[in-house]
Amino acid sequence: MLVSFDHAENYAAWRGVLVSSFSCLAVVQSLYEFWTAAAGGSALEWVAVLTGFVCVWLAARESLWNFPVAIFSCALYILVYYRAGLYSDGFLQILFIGLSVYGWYQWLYGGRSHSELHVTRARPFEWVACAAFVLAYTLGAGYYLQHHTTATLPHWDSFTTAVSLAAQYLLMRKRLENWWLWIFVDILYVPILWYKQLYPTSALYALYLGLAVYGYLEWRRASHVAVGKAHPASTV
């Protein structure tokens, strides 16, 4: 009787182990299915996501390498956004490539006497110019996309494109406030891209939001250091 009882106990224990193993496998399979569904089966988008994240991190660190990485990532996103029907954002990537080349030069030689550019504050005329550009682009591009293309969310697409271009201009000139605009536009991009089922890119923009805050803090610290070097405290 004791032997029979031990066999029954061992059987129950092994049965529990097998059930637990199958349950774990089911959970793993469910997570895998969710992951692949979120990725949309597009390796292209995931490579664009990863390089885009690296690009913003490098920019926050004031590294010149952010520009070549940005060029590569933007080239990939031209295809990603075109497939999703976000034509204005696809066009934005082309402009970003051109601005990245120019920004690369500016960071190297845009300072006084063609020296390295340092973090500074945006000028009032730059804010006025950026606001006028955002308004004009949103209305003009939004109208065109709505009436002459199959674009989805034409005015939202145009607005986020315009704000992104304004932010890129300020970043290119190493204006501290560029991060304010990136924070604002990233908040808008997260739900828009999720709605368009670009789940990895939507998650990327959520990470961009955190990086933008980090970039602002880093650049503000750098600007204080630059001001301290330019105006050292007088000694007695």
Side-chain angles (χ1 to χ4, degrees):
M1 294 293 293
L2 290 175
V3 174
S4 299
F5 179 78
D6 288 340
H7 277 301
E9 189 177 56
N10 289 336
Y11 172 77
W14 278 107
R15 183 174 180 274
V17 171
L18 289 173
V19 170
S20 298
S21 299
F22 281 118
S23 298
C24 289
L25 288 173
V27 170
V28 171
Q29 182 179 3
S30 297
L31 290 174
Y32 174 77
E33 291 174 351
F34 173 79
W35 180 268
T36 53
S42 172
L44 176 69
E45 185 181 355
W46 277 106
V47 175
V49 163
L50 292 174
T51 52
F53 180 83
V54 172
C55 162
V56 177
W57 182 80
L58 289 171
R61 299 291 301 170
E62 283 192 85
S63 171
L64 276 173
W65 282 100
N66 86 85
F67 292 111
V69 175
I71 291 169
F72 179 72
S73 182
C74 290
L76 296 180
Y77 266 119
I78 292 172
L79 297 176
V80 172
Y81 285 133
Y82 178 80
R83 292 175 180 177
L86 294 171
Y87 303 133
S88 184
D89 279 314
F91 178 67
L92 171 64
Q93 306 309 307
I94 298 175
L95 295 179
F96 273 165
I97 291 173
L99 289 173
S100 293
V101 173
Y102 181 67
W104 199 345
Y105 175 84
Q106 283 293 310
W107 278 31
L108 281 172
Y109 307 111
R112 291 185 177 181
S113 302
H114 298 287
S115 61
E116 180 184 352
L117 199 63
H118 296 290
V119 177
T120 54
R121 295 276 181 170
R123 289 5 181 203
F125 79 88
E126 290 176 320
W127 282 120
V128 173
C130 285
F133 170 77
V134 169
L135 179 61
Y137 187 95
T138 300
L139 295 177
Y143 177 85
Y144 177 82
L145 292 174
Q146 183 176 11
H147 294 90
H148 300 285
T149 73
T150 58
T152 53
L153 306 175
H155 285 90
W156 279 111
D157 187 15
S158 300
F159 178 67
T160 52
T161 296
V163 176
S164 296
L165 284 171
Q168 184 66 18
Y169 167 77
L170 294 178
L171 183 145
M172 185 176 64
R173 294 296 303 152
K174 267 198 177 181
R175 305 303 192 202
L176 175 64
E177 294 83 359
N178 85 89
W179 297 110
W180 294 358
L181 296 185
W182 286 125
I183 290 170
F184 173 69
V185 80
D186 289 344
I187 292 173
L188 296 179
Y189 264 125
V190 171
I192 290 174
L193 293 168
W194 189 271
Y195 172 77
K196 290 300 300 176
Q197 298 182 344
L198 294 174
Y199 303 123
T201 303
S202 177
L204 173 65
Y205 273 84
L207 294 176
Y208 278 168
L209 182 58
L211 280 178
V213 174
Y214 170 73
Y216 172 74
L217 295 175
E218 284 292 300
W219 281 36
R220 186 177 65 175
R221 180 186 60 80
S223 68
H224 290 164
V225 171
V227 169
K229 289 181 178 179
H231 305 285
S234 58
T235 56
V236 178

